[in-house]
Amino acid sequence: VFIRLFLKYLADRGIIRADLSSVVPHYKRRKVLPTTYTPEEISKIEYSINTETDTGKRNLAIIRLATRMGLRSGDIAKLKWEEINFNTGYIKIVQEKTGTPLSLQMPPEVSDALLIHYENLASLPEDGYVFHSMSAPYNRITTSIIRHVVTNGFIDAKIDIAGKKHGPHAFRSSLASSMVNDGASYE
């Protein structure tokens, strides 16, 4: 683009005799398809998490929020207990990226993982956030920690990630793909 504009500029100013901008080929941007993983690969990741540990119980809840509900890592990191209603089975948040309110029904696997994580906590954190680091000073988790949890899930499950994205957003794409394959509308 810049070369064509530069050549056109040179011709318009009379610095060169002919407008050579049309000689430069147009570059078409490649449309990148989102990375997706099969339901079997997702299950393998979930089952590879060692839920005998406190960290594993936390990590399974994080992974299931991403794989089963398609929550973005920023929304998982900022999730508060007050946004989860175990009685109705709904999570109600305002999405960090869009600012749009979102109300989603929790699948039983998500609700169960969150309850196990909740029951595992020695005490309810004063800041109200659901997820915290597992070492002092026990701050709420960051999206970086979530990416680390997800990457370790792929490694532990021995999922081939060569040439594919393997962060939390891949779970969102995978869920959307599975839903469409199961007949859900694009909207």
Side-chain angles (χ1 to χ4, degrees):
V1 174
F2 295 112
I3 293 173
R4 280 194 306 278
L5 290 173
F6 181 64
L7 291 172
K8 181 140 182 65
Y9 169 81
L10 293 175
D12 289 347
R13 298 282 183 200
I15 299 170
I16 58 175
R17 285 186 226 166
D19 180 1
L20 300 174
S21 64
S22 61
V23 177
V24 177
H26 289 271
Y27 171 76
K28 290 189 179 178
R29 208 178 220 178
R30 187 176 74 122
K31 289 190 179 187
V32 180
L33 292 174
T35 297
T36 60
Y37 293 90
T38 66
E40 293 76 26
E41 290 172 317
I42 300 292
S43 290
K44 232 175 141 178
I45 292 166
E46 290 178 355
Y47 289 109
S48 73
I49 298 169
N50 179 5
T51 55
E52 297 297 315
T53 68
D54 294 346
T55 302
K57 291 171 185 167
R58 179 201 70 179
N59 291 354
L60 182 60
I62 289 169
I63 294 284
R64 286 202 171 150
L65 283 165
T67 61
R68 305 291 176 104
M69 297 184 70
L71 289 184
R72 292 181 179 97
S73 57
D75 294 330
I76 295 170
K78 290 190 172 183
L79 186 63
K80 290 193 164 192
W81 288 112
E82 66 191 27
E83 297 170 318
I84 302 171
N85 188 325
F86 290 106
N87 293 326
T88 64
Y90 277 85
I91 292 178
K92 293 182 180 185
I93 62 169
V94 174
Q95 296 177 82
E96 179 189 34
K97 182 176 181 180
T98 64
T100 306
L102 182 65
S103 178
L104 295 172
Q105 187 170 15
M106 291 183 285
E109 301 85 2
V110 172
S111 182
D112 292 347
L114 284 167
L115 279 170
I116 289 168
H117 170 62
Y118 177 80
E119 291 165 357
N120 189 57
L121 296 172
S123 63
L124 200 58
E126 291 179 22
D127 63 7
Y129 290 103
V130 175
F131 301 111
H132 295 83
S133 62
M134 299 306 286
S135 56
Y138 306 105
N139 293 324
R140 76 174 174 90
I141 62 168
T142 62
T143 57
S144 176
I145 292 173
I146 294 172
R147 283 191 302 275
H148 181 73
V149 166
V150 170
T151 299
N152 284 347
F154 279 103
I155 292 167
D156 294 344
K158 296 177 178 41
I159 302 294
D160 181 18
I161 57 174
K164 295 174 83 174
K165 293 183 179 183
H166 54 277
H169 202 77
F171 289 148
R172 188 173 167 86
S173 302
S174 299
L175 178 62
S177 178
S178 291
M179 290 173 67
V180 168
N181 288 342
D182 290 342
S185 71
Y186 285 102
E187 292 77 30

